[in-house]
Amino acid sequence: MERNVSSLAIVLHSQRYGQLNRRLKLLTVDFGIIDVLSYGAQKSLKSVKAEVFTDGQFFLYYNPVKKDYTLKDVTVLATHDELRESLHPTYAALFFCELLLRVHGGESTDEYRLLSQALDHLSSMPQKTDLVIIQFVHQLSDLVGLRADFSRCPICDRPYGSNEVVSFSTSLLAHCCEACASLDADLLLPPGARRYLEVTSSMGFEQSLQVPLSDAATLRIKRYLLRYAQMIGQGVLKTLASPILWEASST
Ligand SMILES: [Zn+2]
């Protein structure tokens, strides 16, 4: 017997399934990340439109025997179509979805809220794409329990000096002092970047985007966090294989 269920959710991924159908991956508030079949999504005018980045209330059938979900309807809160108008915001949004599929494991509600805000900001402020990328990775690391205090080494507990460049522990997946660093660690965090990450640690998304940061510092911190994302993503991320996100987006 099928059951009707619903949840706030965002479409992370969508691929063709058979001739006319699509298989979606949804980040839902109530059920975590789930696969959902959308029948007739290719051609039919009546079919429910739920493209990647769509944020809304999703109405589903759940079949407890087959343990699968089918899309019935969606009340769209935001399509985030605006961000598709330029390359960097589009890549950034795809990167967020790919990274969440890799590291999902925190509270679904918090991850949904973070992605929803990040997509809203990419849509309304495409010129701030690099700052949105920085804050997305920074805040996600906190949600999945990997973020360490930026004022001291999380391994030996020694406070960092104000001009100290800190290194990285690949086993802890966090920054640490040079003495505690992994032998092959080449991920260096300069003092200015560390201060920025520390200051914005306790801020909301909106507020952190207002903190002034030079273009050079923005690029440096973004590249640090993209490399960090590859570490916590445990392998090659497709969206980081191209050079696009590694370049400055505001030119
Ligand atoms: Zn240490």
Side-chain angles (χ1 to χ4, degrees):
M1 191 62 195
E2 288 187 333
R3 280 196 293 130
N4 290 306
V5 294
S6 83
S7 178
L8 276 172
I10 297 172
V11 182
L12 297 179
H13 190 257
S14 169
Q15 71 179 131
R16 265 184 81 163
Y17 179 70
Q19 278 289 79
L20 297 170
N21 316 316
R22 297 196 77 84
R23 183 189 289 277
L24 312 176
K25 284 197 187 297
L26 298 187
L27 169 64
T28 72
V29 164
D30 295 296
F31 318 111
I33 292 179
I34 55 172
D35 281 341
V36 173
L37 287 176
S38 177
Y39 286 105
Q42 293 278 339
K43 280 181 188 155
S44 161
L45 290 173
K46 277 190 187 165
S47 70
V48 181
K49 284 239 184 290
E51 302 198 19
V52 175
F53 314 144
T54 298
D55 183 347
Q57 184 76 27
F58 285 72
F59 298 90
L60 313 165
Y61 283 129
Y62 177 63
N63 181 325
V65 179
K66 292 198 248 165
K67 291 193 167 55
D68 64 12
Y69 293 90
T70 308
L71 181 62
K72 200 179 79 177
D73 202 0
V74 55
T75 303
V76 175
L77 296 173
T79 59
H80 297 117
D81 278 344
E82 306 88 338
L83 69 83
R84 295 175 197 274
E85 286 164 18
S86 6
L87 192 63
H88 277 101
T90 304
Y91 260 78
L94 290 170
F95 162 64
F96 297 164
C97 293
E98 187 181 20
L99 186 58
L100 267 173
L101 283 167
R102 286 285 179 85
V103 306
H104 170 68
E107 266 295 310
S108 291
T109 311
D110 295 336
E111 291 178 1
Y112 165 82
R113 194 179 298 129
L114 175 62
L115 181 61
S116 181
Q117 285 184 13
L119 296 177
D120 287 350
H121 286 114
L122 287 178
S123 300
S124 62
M125 295 187 278
Q127 74 281 9
K128 293 207 171 185
T129 294
D130 283 349
L131 289 174
V132 177
I133 292 172
I134 288 171
Q135 285 306 319
F136 180 84
V137 178
H138 189 36
Q139 298 202 13
L140 183 62
S141 72
D142 189 29
L143 295 187
V144 298
L146 288 172
R147 187 153 87 189
D149 183 346
F150 284 92
S151 65
R152 56 181 63 241
C153 172
I155 298 171
C156 68
D157 211 34
R158 177 177 66 74
Y160 294 136
S162 59
N163 289 316
E164 187 171 344
V165 175
V166 307
S167 191
F168 197 78
S169 161
T170 48
S171 52
L172 201 64
L173 291 176
H175 58 82
C176 66
C177 78
E178 203 182 345
C180 296
S182 312
L183 285 175
D184 56 346
D186 60 349
L187 193 54
L188 299 177
L189 185 61
R194 177 161 54 85
R195 272 192 293 277
Y196 172 82
L197 293 175
E198 185 172 22
V199 164
T200 58
S201 283
S202 55
M203 291 182 182
F205 214 109
E206 187 90 51
Q207 194 190 0
S208 65
L209 296 182
Q210 309 306 322
V211 175
L213 200 61
S214 73
D215 288 350
T218 301
L219 187 58
R220 201 178 310 125
I221 298 171
K222 181 181 75 165
R223 285 178 175 161
Y224 176 87
L225 287 170
L226 290 178
R227 291 193 58 205
Y228 174 72
Q230 285 181 316
M231 299 263 194
I232 65 173
Q234 313 258 335
V236 180
L237 292 160
K238 270 194 275 179
T239 45
L240 295 185
S242 106
I244 291 164
L245 287 180
W246 299 91
E247 296 158 0
S249 76
S250 52
T251 41

